[in-house]
Amino acid sequence: MINFGYARANDVADAVRMISADPAAKFIAGGTNLVDLMKVDVERPSRLIDISRLPLRNVEETADGGLRIGALVPNSDLAYHPVIAQRYPLIASAILAGASQQLRNMASTGGNLLQRTRCAYFYDTVTPCNKREPGAGCSAIGGINRIHAILGASEDCIATHPSDMCVALAALDARVRVTGPAGERVIAFADFHRLPGNTPQTDTNLRADEIVIAVELPAEGFAANYSYLKIRDRLSYAFALVSIAAALELEGGTIKEARLALGGVAHRPWRDATAEAALRGQPANQASFARAADLLLQDARGYDHNAFKIELARRGIVRTLTQAAQGTPQSQSVKKIQ
Ligand SMILES: Cc1cc2nc3c(=O)[nH]c(=O)nc-3n(C[C@H](O)[C@H](O)[C@H](O)COP(=O)(O)OP(=O)(O)OC[C@H]3O[C@@H](n4cnc5c(N)ncnc54)[C@H](O)[C@@H]3O)c2cc1C
Ligand code: SF4
């Protein structure tokens, strides 16, 4: 047992004041990741700042035709929200591919972004881990690294970001709205999560005294041609070995716009501008998709147990883009179930 304090924030300004006054404190939303990490002694906050009752549970249309999702909207509510189901089914598919219904009922939008890696060594305090203890070493390099990164890794950390929802948000060019003592700012989704470099202890570019208040979506949701494919060791209740979010805008058989994001392969949801550019203006066929996959994976590197992921990702990209182009998404969206 560790001793920690508990306080409930009255409003967002109160939450920011509390976290600024105590850098060793942690926000708690649904608690589905943080409490687990506290139980195994990885997180040792001085105080839990309960933000679960802050008024950040709305999903609202924005003036530019997009959507603002409050940071405390539960993953379940978001997946089944009618606007998400109809206009952004890629997000619904990704959320419903993750965790379990009970967990999704508790898990918040903000917490999903900030969940920590599932590297087993990170959870095991008797093994060296640079993310948990900077400078200690990385047990996964040379250890069991089946679920680890094949892109963007460093000599200090080869962990992956475990979220499904974030892969869809990355593909759709979402933005993260945050606030802190210096006021509000908006972070492009691509800049929110970090690569490990030599500071793997820092997962994101959110400052220690900031809180996520919303995720914002642009108007375009690619509802006609999308697919989310999650490949994992078990069909449910398991994190992705590789996941792929694909979204296309087609003109006849030609690709006008393409979005491609991968999960389970890097320290952040992985997008590659070169691969997407190579798809634009091309026929929506296997040859174009295979070329994009080759480009995206050209710098991929496998370790002792995860080299299989490179070919898995290559085939997965072709399959997901094919399903998006055909309008036959892999994961059933809420819209299709109804
Ligand atoms: C068994 C199991 C299986 C799972 N499977 C999957 C899966 O397949 N796919 C998947 O994507 N996820 C999966 N998850 C992870 C789950 O989605 C996350 O635990 C959840 O989204 C975290 O949200 P939360 O509100 O519970 O966060 P919390 O646990 O409350 O917080 C997590 C972190 O975020 C911080 N935080 C929370 N909200 C904010 C905010 N608004 N601003 C700033 N910081 C904040 C907290 O301080 C903490 O550091 C699984 C979890 C479990 C336990
Ligand atoms: S991969 Fe990262 S999280 Fe896992 S042991 Fe190495 S440093 Fe720690």
Side-chain angles (χ1 to χ4, degrees), residues 117 119 121-122 128-131 137-140 148 156-159 200:
T117 185
C119 171
Y121 300 108
F122 176 68
C129 168
N130 286 324
K131 188 179 278 297
C138 171
S139 299
H148 289 74
D156 290 326
C157 179
I158 59 171

Side-chain angles (χ1 to χ4, degrees), residues 19-104:
I19 201 92
S20 305
D22 183 359
K26 282 259 166 197
F27 293 132
I28 183 160
T32 61
N33 190 211
L34 182 54
V35 173
D36 280 358
L37 288 165
M38 288 173 69
K39 285 185 199 160
V40 292
D41 216 18
V42 171
E43 296 277 15
R44 301 172 64 88
S46 58
R47 178 151 83 142
L48 291 181
I49 302 170
D50 186 346
I51 57 170
S52 64
R53 299 193 191 183
L54 297 184
L56 300 172
R57 286 183 175 253
N58 290 340
V59 179
E60 302 160 326
E61 311 242 2
T62 54
D64 64 358
L67 213 60
R68 179 172 302 127
I69 302 158
L72 290 169
V73 175
N75 285 178
S76 302
D77 290 15
L78 190 60
Y80 293 109
H81 192 282
V83 180
I84 292 290
Q86 282 154 26
R87 284 179 45 203
Y88 304 95
L90 181 63
I91 295 177
S93 294
I95 292 174
L96 294 176
S100 66
Q101 186 63 45
Q102 290 92 333
L103 282 160
R104 295 192 295 263

Side-chain angles (χ1 to χ4, degrees), residues 25-37 43 51 56 71-72 75 94-95 97-100 103-104 106-116 118 162-166 206 210-213 230 232 237-240:
K26 282 259 166 197
F27 293 132
I28 183 160
T32 61
N33 190 211
L34 182 54
V35 173
D36 280 358
L37 288 165
E43 296 277 15
I51 57 170
L56 300 172
L72 290 169
N75 285 178
I95 292 174
S100 66
L103 282 160
R104 295 192 295 263
M106 290 302 294
S108 66
T109 301
N112 193 305
L113 267 54
L114 289 152
Q115 63 176 293
R116 308 213 65 192
R118 291 283 157 173
S163 170
D164 290 290
M165 183 183 78
C166 289
L206 184 74
E210 288 179 320
I211 181 171
V212 174
I213 51 175
K230 178 175 180 180
R232 46 195 151 166
Y237 214 51
F239 290 89

Side-chain angles (χ1 to χ4, degrees), residues 143-159:
I144 306 292
N145 44 40
R146 177 175 168 78
I147 66 164
H148 289 74
I150 52 170
L151 288 162
S154 74
E155 287 176 4
D156 290 326
C157 179
I158 59 171

